[in-house]
């Protein structure tokens, strides 16, 4: 009634990706599920290898997920994936905070509210944001990501996030 992925591994010197999952076809409908763990001793190098340059420097940790969606594996979209994601990282730096990423931090200083409304976080983050620890869990439900415990501890700020964001 479908395919089963018992083990799918990718390895680089700084990174290990392990996964398993299935693709089923039952009663005329496709369904896919994947569980994975991405472990990296240098998220900056891993991001560069994945085609995302100049965003991260250093950092170690892991991302674990259990995701499912209706349809074939190639049908995964932000609007139809559900599951759980756990993030844990240490000792790295975001090199640039683009406007979209800066919105996630939601830092408001009443004396600088005008600048922050324009998403100018340079007085806090400068050319980047060094973090000592990032940890949190996300529940994904067909285009919505919800967290109740995301924490980012850095030298210049300590950030706690909870809430929902639309991914689509």
């Amino acid at each position: 009634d479908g395919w089963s992925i018992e083990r799918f591994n990718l390895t680089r010197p700084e990174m290990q990706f392990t996964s398993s999952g299935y693709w089923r076809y039952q009663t005329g409908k496709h369904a896919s599920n994947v569980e994975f763990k991405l472990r990296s001793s240098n998220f900056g190098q891993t991001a560069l290898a994945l085609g995302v340059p100049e965003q991260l420097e250093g950092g170690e940790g892991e991302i674990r997920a259990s995701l499912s969606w209706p349809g074939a594996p190639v049908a995964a979209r932000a609007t139809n994936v559900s599951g759980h994601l756990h993030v844990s990282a240490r000792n790295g730096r975001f090199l640039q905070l683009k406007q979209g990423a800066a919105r996630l931090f939601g830092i408001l200083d009443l004396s600088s509210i005008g600048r922050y409304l324009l998403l100018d976080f340079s007085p806090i983050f400068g050319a980047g944001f060094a973090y000592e620890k990032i940890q949190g869990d996300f529940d994904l439900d067909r285009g919505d990501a919800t967290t109740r415990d995301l924490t980012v501890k850095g030298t210049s700020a300590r950030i706690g996030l909870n809430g929902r964001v639309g991914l689509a």
Side-chain angles (χ1 to χ4, degrees), residues 38-103:
L38 173 92
R39 216 170 241 233
S40 179
S41 61
N42 187 323
F43 276 123
Q45 287 180 345
T46 299
L48 183 62
L50 294 173
V52 184
E54 301 175 4
Q55 296 298 308
L56 296 168
E57 179 179 274
E60 59 183 282
E62 71 178 27
I63 300 170
R64 292 188 318 260
S66 177
L67 307 173
S68 61
W69 58 94
V74 296
R77 305 282 183 271
T79 56
N80 69 357
V81 172
S82 297
H84 185 80
L85 181 83
H86 173 79
V87 177
S88 177
R90 299 174 299 287
N91 304 322
R93 174 185 293 275
F94 292 103
L95 296 177
Q96 303 174 31
L97 284 178
K98 303 226 186 246
Q99 288 185 354
R103 281 187 207 166

Side-chain angles (χ1 to χ4, degrees), residues 6 15 19 25 45 57 112:
E6 293 183 21
M15 186 259 324
S19 64
Y25 183 76
Q45 287 180 345
E57 179 179 274
S112 302

Side-chain angles (χ1 to χ4, degrees), residues 92-119:
R93 174 185 293 275
F94 292 103
L95 296 177
Q96 303 174 31
L97 284 178
K98 303 226 186 246
Q99 288 185 354
R103 281 187 207 166
L104 293 175
F105 290 103
I107 298 169
L108 292 179
D109 173 1
L110 295 178
S111 65
S112 302
I113 196 164
R115 179 174 46 244
Y116 293 152
L117 286 174
L118 297 173
L119 300 173

Side-chain angles (χ1 to χ4, degrees), residues 26-37:
Q26 295 176 323
T27 62
K29 294 183 182 178
H30 292 271
S32 298
N33 173 276
V34 66
E35 294 192 18
F36 73 83
K37 182 185 335 182

